[in-house]
Every structure is written in structure tokens, then in C-alpha cells.
Amino acid sequence: MEMDIVKSINLSKDYKKFRALNKVNITVKQGEIYGLVGDNGAGKTTFLKLLAGQISASEGSFSLFGKESNAGKAEARSRIGVMIEETGFYPNMTIAQNLEYYRRMKAVAGKEAVEEALSLTGLMPYSKKKCKAMSMGMKQRLGLAIALLGKPEFLILDEPINGLDPSGIVEVRNLLLKLNKERNTTILLSSHILSELEQIATVYGFLHKGNLVEQITVEQLKENCADFIEIKVGDAARFSVLLERKLGHTNYSVLPDNSIHIFEPGEQIERYSNLAAEEGLPVLGLGRRKKSLEEYYADVKRRGMELC
Amino acid sequence: MLSYMKSEIYHVLHEKTIYIAATVLPGLTVLMNVMLAVLSGVDESFRYGTVRFSLNMLTGLMIAVVYAAIAMGSLLTSDKKTGVLKNIVATGLSREKIFIGKCLVTLLFSVILLILTVGALVASAYLLLENREWEPLRQLLSGILTIFPFAVATMMYIIVVSMHNDSNGNLIIMCFLYLLFPHIIRALSMVDVFGVVATVLGKISSWLPLNMLNYEVDVWFSSYDCFWNKPGGMARGILAGIAWIVIMGVAGIRVYRKQDL
């Protein structure tokens, strides 16, 4: 059985009267790439900062590598690479010097560790560049390089592809997949770019206004996003009654724009248009569709709003 | 903590600040002595080209050591502003160790700068100036020894305040309040309406090192009247400084433990 790298129990954080994180229970297992999804202010960064020890919890607890005590978590953090918000570095030192500074602090043996981090993140040609002259993309890469120093077993990355150009995004994505596959590095990352997360995450946690609305594996997500039929008719309420009475179909949802999503629809989609035609309901649109992560997230958010 | 200190030393050695300070401060003292020597050479009536006058300049302005501690603390504690501190915390190093490590590294470089500056002042004075007597050197070193613990406490204060405030403006205000506080206590102790309170404030005021420096140091060309040269004066200065180190140490650990990054 895979070890729990992170396990939070009712973890909460208040900033004065504002509750940024509310009783969040998240488990990240060894080898997973856990994607934390949520709008700005959903509590993603707050959760990551709590794990990194940068802020303290108001309520609840969490363990890192199974360690719950403060001393245990401090020891566990030496096995973690962190990149949260803008990474700190000394602007008057070069990229290589900043990495050397962190290498010494993390007590990583061998200067080649710096070279490896530079080469993994594509910063080798810029190693002698002063940090104050770095572009946004280079800052992100340096943050990632610092996080990668010492071959951490667990990476905590907050919006790692922010500010990267398209080729940089692909490089980082491939790098994370490679680390996960070859070194079995567990990764917990947050991102606004859901299409990117969709390509690497194996587990998702959906946060909304500080609440964890859903935690779901990629397999479950695929199941939940499986094929459905979208039919738009003149009178959605009447059609839904027909669906249940005449076809015995109860797994559907009616959307505000009068369209109906019919799940587990079977192979013959004509029967739905025929049903509408028989009852004199005009069919304005009909098609087979699959939910994207973005659409699924929108549904989760709706549920989150109901929870709040 | 040793790894952290090594990395901090690496950082300080790879910034210009320390080299500028190590050149400018001793350079200024040497320049002053060169000017005294030149003026003494060209004008026979010029009375200040002596070792005593040169060394007494620093002895009389011993508060400059405290200002230097403020400057060193400010120059070497940019890690909260740059965001480096949150990365350090994320490596698992305890906040107490970060605070202690930062104090030790800043102290190390401050002591090196102090030795270089005082060394340059003393060496150039004895090389270039007249009346090579040893008493002014003894007086100068006694003053430095007395005020050294309080200078360390001041440097710690800056490290604590830097953790709590991101902006330079706030830092300047906090330094100003730090320097003003002893004057306020002393002024209040002189207000008669306070009665017993004024007596207590007076006692406290006399144990505040900044007040000792501001009101109990009188050194000039021929006069030398300093609290550290009076019975128990040096012990009072050193003990008060140590008490401030303890206060700043406790405050520092509390602030470092609690501060969200």
C-alpha cells in the first residue's frame, strides 16, 4: 500500500476574521500527481503554505510522510521541494549563485547538483545572469530549479507554469511527468490552467472558497465526464417528464439554458429526437458530448456554492 | 543550522555591500588621520594632529557603534523582503535556528568590520600622528568593550523588526522609535508630578545604554569623562547590554515563531 505523503485533517486557516481554508481533508499518496483546482482565493496557496510551514494552521492538523509532530514535519520538509508564489532569491546574485546558496542551505552534497538543476530547467545558458535581470519565465524556472535541488521525494508547486511561454509549458510538463515516472516523485501542484492539469494530474482536489468540494482520481473523473447527450428543446421541463415516463430515464440534468444533459444515453440518440417530435416539441439542438475538466469544474463550483 | 549559516556567509560574500562597507569605513578613518597629519604638518598652531584627538573622536562618539549595528542589521537582513525567508522555512529549518543563525552571521561580519575600522583608525593614528601615548587606546577599547553587548542587542532588534516589517519606511520608523524611547523615559523621569513613578523611571533611564551613551560620555581633546571609566560603570554598561540581548532574543524567537510568511 502506498504511503500517505500528505494527510490533512480538518485543516483550517483564518486571516483575522476571514476563513481562507475551512476544515480541509486532503490525502496525497506516494507517486501521485495531485492537481489542486480552484479560483483565486479558493485556498490553494494557503493550503500549500501550511504544508511548507510558511504559515501556521488555525485549526486541524496534517502529517507529512506520516509525521505529525512539529519536529517530524520539519525533518520531513528536508525531503520536499517547494515553489510557492514568487520564489525568493537575491537579485544581485547570479542564477547559479542563488542555486549554490540554496544547495548549501539544504546541505546537498556536490556542486553538480546545481548544474543538474540548471540543466533540468533549461537555465544552463543563463547561469551567470543576475537575477534582477530575469524575465518572469526565468524566475519561474529558477523557482523550479531551487525546488528540484537535492532530488526531493515530494514537490509542492504553486502555479508552476505561470509566466512560461508555450514551449516552456511543454518542457515543464514533460519534466514533471519524467520526475514522477523515473524518480517516483510525488507532486502536488495548483494551476489555473485546467487543460494543463488535465494532461498530468492523477488525482484532483477541487477547492471553492476554502472548502474542499471534491477529491477525485483521474479514473473517477473520466467516469464522471463520460459521454452524454445534450438536447435542446423548446420546453425542457416537459421533455424531462417525457424522458422519465416514456423512456424511464432518470439520469439527466436540466440546465438553465433549457438544454438537457442525458447521461448513460446508450447508442441510439435518435430515440430522444423522435420522442420530442412525437410530442410536438421542437428540437433546437442535439449532439453527443463529453465533459471537459473545465466543465466538470464548473459543475463542482456550482455544488461548492450550494455548500457555502 | 550550520548549513544555513554557511549559505548566509556565501550570500554576504557574494554581495557588494560587505566589500563597500569594508572599504569605506576603514577608508574614512584613515582619510581623517591623513588630513590631521597634513594639517598638522602645514600649520604649526594646529593642535589636533595627535593620537589622543584622533582616537577620542570615536571614544566620544561611541554611539556610532550602535548606529553601525543598525546599519549592519539593515544591510544583511533583506531575506523577508526578497522572499528568501519563506524558502528557508520550507526547507524544514526551525524558525528559532534561522533567527539565531542570522544573528550569528550578522554578528560575525559586524565584528570583522569593527575590527577593520578600529584597526585602520588606530594603525593610521599611531603611524601618522604625534604624541603616541597608549592611554587613549585603552579608553577607546574600554568603551567598545562596554558598549559591545548593547550593539549586539541593537543588531538583533533590527533583525526582529525586519521580520515584522516588509517596507524600508516601517524599518526607519522603528529605528527612530528605538533611538527615541530612552530620551522619552528620561524626560518623563524628570517630570515632578509623577512622584514615585518618576523615581522608578529615573532608575530605568539610568540603566538604558542609549542614555548612558547620550548623557554619560564627555570626551574631547583634553577631557575624558565616561561612565565606563567610573566604579561599576563598565559592569553597568555590559550588564544592561546583556539584558537587552536577552530581551531581543526572546522577542526574536517569539516573532520568528509566529510570523506568517
Side-chain angles (χ1 to χ4, degrees):
Chain A
M1 198 176 136
E2 259 121 31
M3 176 192 193
D4 289 343
I5 302 292
V6 175
K7 190 174 176 67
S8 75
I9 300 164
N10 293 329
L11 195 60
S12 305
K13 175 67 184 176
D14 299 323
Y15 291 108
K16 293 184 179 163
K17 285 182 182 171
F18 173 68
R19 176 148 279 210
L21 206 63
N22 184 37
K23 297 186 175 168
V24 165
N25 297 299
I26 283 179
T27 305
V28 182
K29 292 194 178 295
Q30 191 172 28
E32 282 180 351
I33 300 181
Y34 192 109
L36 212 48
V37 183
D39 290 343
N40 284 335
K44 304 183 300 289
T45 304
T46 300
F47 181 72
L48 302 182
K49 281 184 159 196
L50 281 164
L51 299 186
Q54 295 173 352
I55 56 175
S56 52
S58 306
E59 261 179 56
S61 62
F62 68 92
S63 64
L64 289 173
F65 290 92
K67 307 274 172 63
E68 281 188 46
S69 67
N70 284 341
K73 279 190 277 202
E75 189 269 323
R77 285 193 183 103
S78 63
R79 299 157 73 183
I80 300 174
V82 173
M83 184 180 108
I84 298 176
E85 291 177 327
E86 275 192 23
T87 302
F89 47 77
Y90 290 111
N92 292 319
M93 281 163 52
T94 66
I95 289 173
Q97 285 169 344
N98 267 287
L99 277 169
E100 177 62 17
Y101 169 83
Y102 282 107
R103 184 190 74 79
R104 286 171 188 234
M105 185 187 309
K106 290 181 172 185
V108 176
K111 289 200 171 184
E112 57 279 5
V114 169
E115 282 171 20
E116 192 199 13
L118 284 168
S119 109
L120 278 173
T121 52
L123 282 172
M124 192 60 101
Y126 313 103
S127 63
K128 289 181 180 166
K129 197 179 176 101
K130 285 257 168 91
C131 284
K132 63 183 172 189
M134 287 192 305
S135 66
M136 177 68 184
M138 285 165 90
K139 284 179 189 172
Q140 284 295 94
R141 284 168 190 264
L142 176 58
L144 195 56
I146 291 167
L148 292 176
L149 272 173
K151 297 183 182 163
E153 296 162 62
F154 177 37
L155 280 172
I156 296 175
L157 307 172
D158 187 19
E159 307 279 356
I161 55 171
N162 248 10
L164 293 179
D165 53 27
S167 60
I169 292 175
V170 176
E171 280 171 36
V172 169
R173 184 205 309 148
N174 290 339
L175 171 63
L176 296 180
L177 286 169
K178 187 179 161 194
L179 292 170
N180 178 254
K181 199 177 169 189
E182 292 178 4
R183 295 184 188 169
N184 196 29
T185 308
T186 308
I187 301 168
L188 168 59
L189 77 162
S190 71
S191 181
H192 285 111
I193 305 169
L194 300 184
S195 54
E196 265 312 308
L197 270 187
E198 210 168 5
Q199 297 187 55
I200 59 171
T202 56
V203 183
Y204 296 90
F206 295 93
L207 282 169
H208 184 69
K209 292 189 175 171
N211 294 289
L212 181 71
V213 183
E214 188 170 18
Q215 188 168 238
I216 188 170
T217 64
V218 73
E219 290 80 17
Q220 288 169 316
L221 182 75
K222 274 181 188 162
E223 215 168 273
N224 292 356
C225 291
D227 285 354
F228 64 91
I229 282 175
E230 184 177 73
I231 184 165
K232 198 166 185 179
V233 289
D235 186 344
R238 204 170 133 218
F239 188 77
S240 63
V241 174
L242 290 172
L243 262 180
E244 289 190 29
R245 283 197 189 151
K246 299 228 168 171
L247 299 180
H249 211 106
T250 53
N251 192 3
Y252 66 89
S253 65
V254 181
L255 274 71
D257 66 348
N258 257 353
S259 58
I260 301 177
H261 287 178
I262 304 166
F263 303 103
E264 299 171 61
E267 289 304 311
Q268 295 177 319
I269 67 165
E270 312 82 53
R271 61 187 182 136
Y272 299 103
S273 54
N274 291 343
L275 176 67
E278 279 165 20
E279 298 295 324
L281 285 172
V283 177
L284 306 171
L286 175 71
R288 196 177 276 276
R289 289 191 55 197
K290 201 174 180 179
K291 249 188 210 174
S292 68
L293 179 58
E294 278 169 19
E295 286 168 317
Y296 188 79
Y297 173 54
D299 284 348
V300 170
K301 252 173 49 174
R302 265 195 290 277
R303 272 185 278 147
M305 279 174 201
E306 285 161 21
L307 271 178
C308 295
Chain B
M1 191 169 80
L2 202 62
S3 301
Y4 169 63
M5 287 174 66
K6 279 184 194 167
S7 68
E8 275 299 299
I9 290 169
Y10 177 85
H11 157 232
V12 176
L13 291 176
H14 284 81
E15 293 262 16
K16 283 181 191 161
T17 313
I18 195 74
Y19 299 104
I20 292 171
T23 310
V24 171
L25 292 176
L28 283 175
T29 62
V30 172
L31 185 66
M32 180 189 78
N33 284 337
V34 168
M35 284 175 68
L36 289 175
V38 169
L39 287 170
S40 181
V42 294
D43 181 1
E44 278 186 12
S45 64
F46 186 74
R47 299 186 301 130
Y48 306 114
T50 62
V51 167
R52 177 175 290 273
F53 179 79
S54 172
L55 300 194
N56 278 6
M57 287 280 279
L58 183 56
T59 310
L61 280 174
M62 196 53 74
I63 201 163
V65 176
V66 177
Y67 295 149
I70 290 175
M72 282 307 291
S74 312
L75 290 173
L76 300 180
T77 52
S78 59
D79 47 5
K80 170 124 192 268
K81 213 161 45 185
T82 54
V84 171
L85 191 58
K86 64 182 185 182
N87 282 21
I88 301 170
V89 167
T91 62
L93 189 66
S94 79
R95 290 169 178 234
E96 292 87 343
K97 285 181 182 168
I98 295 172
F99 174 65
I100 294 167
K102 179 144 269 311
C103 288
L104 290 175
V105 172
T106 311
L107 179 62
L108 171 73
F109 284 102
S110 302
V111 169
I112 291 171
L113 276 184
L114 183 70
I115 291 170
L116 284 176
T117 308
V118 174
L121 174 77
V122 172
S124 58
Y126 281 95
L127 275 171
L128 302 170
L129 303 176
E130 293 160 13
N131 298 348
R132 290 173 189 154
E133 51 182 330
W134 295 103
E135 185 59 14
L137 179 61
R138 189 195 64 78
Q139 291 166 346
L140 173 67
L141 294 180
S142 302
I144 290 173
L145 179 67
T146 309
I147 209 61
F148 186 76
F150 181 66
V152 173
T154 302
M155 185 200 73
M156 289 168 76
Y157 171 79
I158 299 299
I159 292 172
V160 177
V161 168
S162 303
M163 177 65 168
H164 209 60
N165 299 281
D166 284 339
S167 76
N168 287 337
N170 285 343
L171 190 62
I172 290 167
I173 290 169
M174 295 304 285
C175 288
F176 179 71
L177 291 175
Y178 182 76
L179 296 172
L180 188 68
F181 168 74
H183 292 286
I184 293 171
I185 298 288
R186 187 166 187 271
L188 288 174
S189 74
M190 290 171 175
V191 182
D192 281 344
V193 286
F194 287 146
V196 181
V197 178
T199 315
V200 175
L201 287 176
K203 284 271 181 212
I204 293 171
S205 169
S206 69
W207 277 85
L208 294 176
L210 276 171
N211 279 347
M212 296 179 202
L213 285 169
N214 283 319
Y215 303 106
E216 296 183 57
V217 175
D218 181 19
V219 181
W220 196 231
F221 181 67
S222 52
S223 67
Y224 177 79
D225 181 20
C226 299
F227 68 92
W228 57 79
N229 210 38
K230 292 174 182 168
M234 184 182 272
R236 184 161 59 99
I238 290 172
L239 283 175
I242 290 170
W244 277 102
I245 289 177
V246 173
I247 291 167
M248 293 307 163
V250 171
I253 285 170
R254 274 187 70 87
V255 169
Y256 265 66
R257 261 189 202 155
K258 299 222 166 200
Q259 189 74 29
D260 281 347
L261 297 168

